[in-house]
Amino acid sequence: MSLEWLLEDVFSNLDRGFLLESKTRQQFVEYFNAIIEEFRIKNNKGNGQTECKLVLQSTIAFHDKSKVKNNGLCLFGKYHNILYVAAKLCFIWNLEDTEVISTLLTRIYECENTFEKFFECAIFGTKVTQLISGWRSDYKTHNENLKASVYFLKHAIKGKLMFKRENKIYNFVDIPMNCYENLSPLKTAVKAEKWDLVVLLIKYGAIAYLPFFDDDYEKYSIFKLFIKKLQIYDTDSYYYKNKINIVESLKIFIRSIPIISAIWTKENDDEENTLPNLSHFLATFGINNVDEPRTLKHLSRCAVRNYLAKNHQLPADTSYLMIPKVLIRYLNLEID
């Protein structure tokens, strides 16, 4: 089953910006869904994996062919956005073929130099992103956007994908978001106070801090931002629940970094807000001893997580780490 001829025949009669609107992309999703279902039934009612893979391969081939005709430059518009139709189909059918999904992600990055469309709607919602970047999500709710982000994140990790940007190499989860001050998805999520996504990204190995001399320090550093968010909300106010979410997310962040004192010394611009004062402030929320040296146990966790992240193995799993489940939970920042 090849759909390249169909795409070329149908697309020739469509306006270049046809797939810019989410509703028109949804029409194509439904159209391809019907094709997948029809061939699935003909093939003894399988799970649709083979048929979905063939549709995905056809859309990638169509995109690649259009680039070749344009001297290797993406035409964008309908020629590029068809890849997001394919991405939605992968998500719907829960395609398990990491190799072909990795090819899809690579094609998207080669043209856009970012993966912000996989994160922005989980962070801001569909209405805000349409105003900022002009993109409305193909996933209807926050939870669905979050699940889609996790789905592609898992395949990027399984496929050991790395992407070059401005002479640096990044994991899928850390690619800066072009329309959002070129900040990382994690820092953007902290700014937007999407704490469920913040926790998820940290557990999946997102960069939460960098060496002070790194040019991208401000793009990724989030500790000071956490503290400012925490200071905004009063415990007796309407926003008490949000403050609890900040505290729980901050605990996960602190578990993921080897040292706090040096980071705070670097980021703090208020001479009165010393580390002991910070320690006292955080202790009121059950976050204790941040001004004390970290334990060897904690430093070991950070070292192991750093190694696992470099090897695309976060979150940790018993399938490849032959260690007790309690240690798996410790590595995954679930316990102190």
Side-chain angles (χ1 to χ4, degrees):
M1 178 179 68
S2 176
L3 299 177
E4 290 179 58
W5 63 270
L6 179 61
L7 287 169
E8 292 179 4
D9 183 53
V10 172
F11 266 48
S12 63
N13 298 315
L14 297 176
D15 182 75
R16 183 179 175 184
F18 180 74
L19 292 180
L20 182 61
E21 296 290 333
S22 62
K23 62 182 180 181
T24 53
R25 293 195 301 273
Q26 182 58 32
Q27 290 172 2
F28 262 78
V29 168
E30 293 172 359
Y31 178 68
F32 286 131
N33 244 343
I35 293 176
I36 292 172
E37 182 64 21
E38 180 180 349
F39 278 89
R40 185 186 72 83
I41 294 173
K42 286 183 178 180
N43 295 332
N44 300 320
K45 297 183 178 180
N47 58 11
Q49 293 286 304
T50 301
E51 293 77 15
C52 183
K53 177 182 176 180
L54 290 172
V55 170
L56 179 55
Q57 289 173 326
S58 296
T59 56
I60 293 173
F62 172 78
H63 170 265
D64 291 350
K65 192 173 181 180
S66 71
K67 282 186 67 174
V68 171
K69 289 181 179 180
N70 195 42
N71 297 318
L73 298 175
C74 183
L75 290 163
F76 286 98
K78 62 184 180 182
Y79 302 98
H80 180 76
N81 290 341
I82 191 65
L83 297 178
Y84 287 101
V85 172
K88 181 65 180 292
L89 290 167
C90 292
F91 176 73
I92 291 173
W93 289 93
N94 193 28
L95 184 65
E96 299 173 355
D97 194 312
T98 295
E99 183 177 356
V100 71
I101 293 175
S102 296
T103 301
L104 172 68
L105 294 175
T106 300
R107 294 295 186 274
I108 290 173
Y109 185 75
E110 287 172 348
C111 300
E112 297 186 32
N113 207 35
T114 185
F115 286 117
E116 64 185 28
K117 289 184 176 66
F118 289 102
F119 294 106
E120 61 179 349
C121 295
I123 297 173
F124 296 104
T126 58
K127 293 182 180 179
V128 174
T129 56
Q130 191 168 24
L131 292 173
I132 298 175
S133 66
W135 186 260
R136 192 178 183 92
S137 177
D138 295 312
Y139 309 92
K140 295 181 180 180
T141 66
H142 170 70
N143 284 337
E144 190 176 24
N145 275 288
L146 196 62
K147 288 179 181 178
S149 299
V150 172
Y151 171 79
F152 290 105
L153 177 55
K154 285 182 176 179
H155 280 287
I157 291 173
K158 188 177 180 181
K160 301 184 183 301
L161 296 184
M162 300 291 289
F163 302 93
K164 187 175 182 179
R165 177 179 166 124
E166 299 176 355
N167 299 319
K168 291 188 177 183
I169 303 299
Y170 295 91
N171 288 323
F172 175 86
V173 71
D174 293 316
I175 298 291
M177 300 174 68
N178 293 344
C179 292
Y180 302 89
E181 305 177 79
N182 280 319
L183 299 178
S184 69
L186 175 57
K187 188 160 187 175
T188 307
V190 173
K191 291 186 71 173
E193 301 181 10
K194 287 297 185 288
W195 304 115
D196 51 353
L197 183 59
V198 168
V199 170
L200 184 147
L201 293 176
I202 292 174
K203 288 186 175 182
Y204 273 85
I207 296 174
Y209 73 100
L210 284 172
F212 305 143
F213 54 81
D214 196 292
D215 293 338
D216 288 334
Y217 184 84
E218 291 299 328
K219 293 182 182 179
Y220 291 89
S221 179
I222 60 174
F223 187 42
K224 182 179 178 180
L225 186 56
F226 258 121
I227 301 304
K228 283 188 174 181
K229 293 286 185 183
L230 195 56
Q231 290 171 336
I232 288 173
Y233 301 104
D234 187 272
T235 53
D236 297 325
S237 74
Y238 171 79
Y239 299 102
Y240 178 66
K241 183 178 180 181
N242 195 34
K243 195 156 192 173
I244 293 177
N245 292 333
I246 298 174
V247 170
E248 293 305 312
S249 301
L250 180 57
K251 286 179 179 179
I252 297 296
F253 166 72
I254 290 175
R255 291 170 188 168
S256 73
I257 59 176
I259 190 168
I260 294 177
S261 57
I263 295 177
W264 184 246
T265 302
K266 166 71 177 180
E267 296 188 11
N268 181 34
D269 52 11
D270 183 354
E271 294 183 358
E272 295 183 0
N273 206 358
T274 62
L275 185 62
N277 288 341
L278 173 68
S279 179
H280 177 74
F281 172 69
L282 292 179
T284 62
F285 303 101
I287 303 175
N288 300 311
N289 306 322
V290 297
D291 57 340
E292 296 181 3
R294 312 309 294 273
T295 65
L296 180 59
K297 176 184 174 183
H298 174 80
L299 295 175
S300 298
R301 168 165 62 182
C302 293
V304 173
R305 279 184 57 83
N306 185 51
Y307 180 84
L308 292 175
K310 289 181 179 179
N311 286 276
H312 307 275
Q313 294 178 314
L314 284 179
D317 192 284
T318 54
S319 63
Y320 56 85
L321 291 177
M322 310 304 290
I323 58 177
K325 289 184 178 180
V326 65
L327 288 182
I328 294 292
R329 291 187 64 208
Y330 184 72
L331 285 175
N332 287 336
L333 313 175
E334 296 173 14
I335 55 178
D336 288 318

